[in-house]
Amino acid sequence: MISFPNCKINLGLNITERRSDGFHNLETMFYPLNLFDVLEIIKSPDGAFSFQTGGIKIPGKSENNLCRKAYEMLCKDFQISPVKIYLYKKIPIGAGLGGGSSDAAHSILLLNKLFDLKLSAEKMEDYARSLGSDCAFFIRNKPVFAWDKGDKFSKINISLKNYFYAIVKPEIHINTANAYSGITPNPNNKPLIR
């Protein structure tokens, strides 16, 4: 089975407070864009698990990739046979576009279909939240107002279909934890929506 995990942009971002768990509470609007990775997951014909990548080089160990973690997480709760995962990266890494989160969510979606797990969207969002703050967004993949860690949503009626977008990605990688470490939260920011 093949899926095309897309990226997202944030329309506005208010960091309202630092949490005791090391995360930050925020307010933002997530909007999906049509820039895609390519993800293929098939049942392993030889009974061995494998994870391979192509395209943009993904830093770090493959054991830490969120696609692999999504598979391992579902294996704990379901009788899932070994799979072969191939991820072709086109979404820039470390650019705040949520590419890795989207890959994780689409792994859950594909595994749900491939093994007929009959998981509801709500349950898949719960699994995705355990992998990363914005992973759950990509399960339904619709514009939302996001708050808390960026993993609680309410629907918004917004469309950018009559607009063009350009993604400019300098040759630097910004780790999310490092980016947030330099922020001073401001609970008095003007609300993004009323």
Side-chain angles (χ1 to χ4, degrees):
M1 300 182 88
I2 296 177
S3 184
F4 298 91
N6 60 288
C7 68
K8 56 88 178 157
I9 55 172
N10 292 56
L11 301 174
L13 178 62
N14 287 341
I15 309 298
T16 57
E17 66 182 331
R18 189 182 305 267
R19 300 162 51 106
S20 60
D21 60 8
F23 288 90
H24 290 78
N25 282 335
L26 56 85
E27 297 177 338
T28 189
M29 289 177 275
F30 291 147
Y31 193 87
L33 293 183
N34 293 328
L35 174 62
F36 304 97
D37 288 340
V38 181
L39 176 66
E40 180 182 39
I41 302 179
I42 61 168
K43 292 180 182 179
S44 176
D46 60 10
F49 172 85
S50 70
F51 175 72
Q52 296 179 324
T53 63
I56 297 171
K57 184 169 172 36
I58 302 171
K61 297 179 180 178
S62 73
E63 306 86 68
N64 297 327
N65 186 278
L66 291 177
C67 296
R68 187 172 185 154
K69 287 185 175 287
Y71 168 75
E72 291 166 353
M73 175 182 63
L74 290 176
C75 281
K76 291 177 184 173
D77 291 345
F78 299 96
Q79 295 281 339
I80 294 177
S81 62
V83 297
K84 296 199 177 295
I85 302 173
Y86 180 72
L87 174 64
Y88 187 84
K89 284 297 292 176
K90 290 175 58 181
I91 299 171
I93 297 170
L97 297 170
S101 297
S102 184
D103 297 336
H106 281 257
S107 294
I108 293 169
L109 289 162
L110 281 179
L111 291 165
N112 184 48
K113 285 182 188 173
L114 186 63
F115 291 101
D116 195 26
L117 302 179
K118 297 181 173 49
L119 295 172
S120 67
E122 292 81 9
K123 187 62 178 168
M124 287 188 283
E125 285 177 343
D126 288 342
Y127 277 115
R129 280 184 185 94
S130 71
L131 295 172
S133 293
D134 60 357
C135 291
F137 163 73
F138 292 100
I139 296 296
R140 297 181 204 248
N141 225 356
K142 304 281 186 196
V144 295
F145 175 73
W147 72 94
D148 207 39
K149 293 187 302 185
D151 63 351
K152 301 241 168 78
F153 314 119
S154 60
K155 294 178 185 177
I156 56 173
N157 186 17
I158 186 170
S159 174
L160 302 180
K161 69 179 183 178
N162 294 323
Y163 293 86
F164 293 95
Y165 62 88
I167 295 173
V168 178
K169 168 64 170 79
E171 290 300 315
I172 58 171
H173 178 275
I174 300 173
N175 175 283
T176 302
N178 290 343
Y180 275 85
S181 69
I183 291 174
T184 302
N186 184 354
N188 300 316
N189 280 334
K190 195 174 182 181
L192 293 177
I193 62 173
R194 295 172 198 247

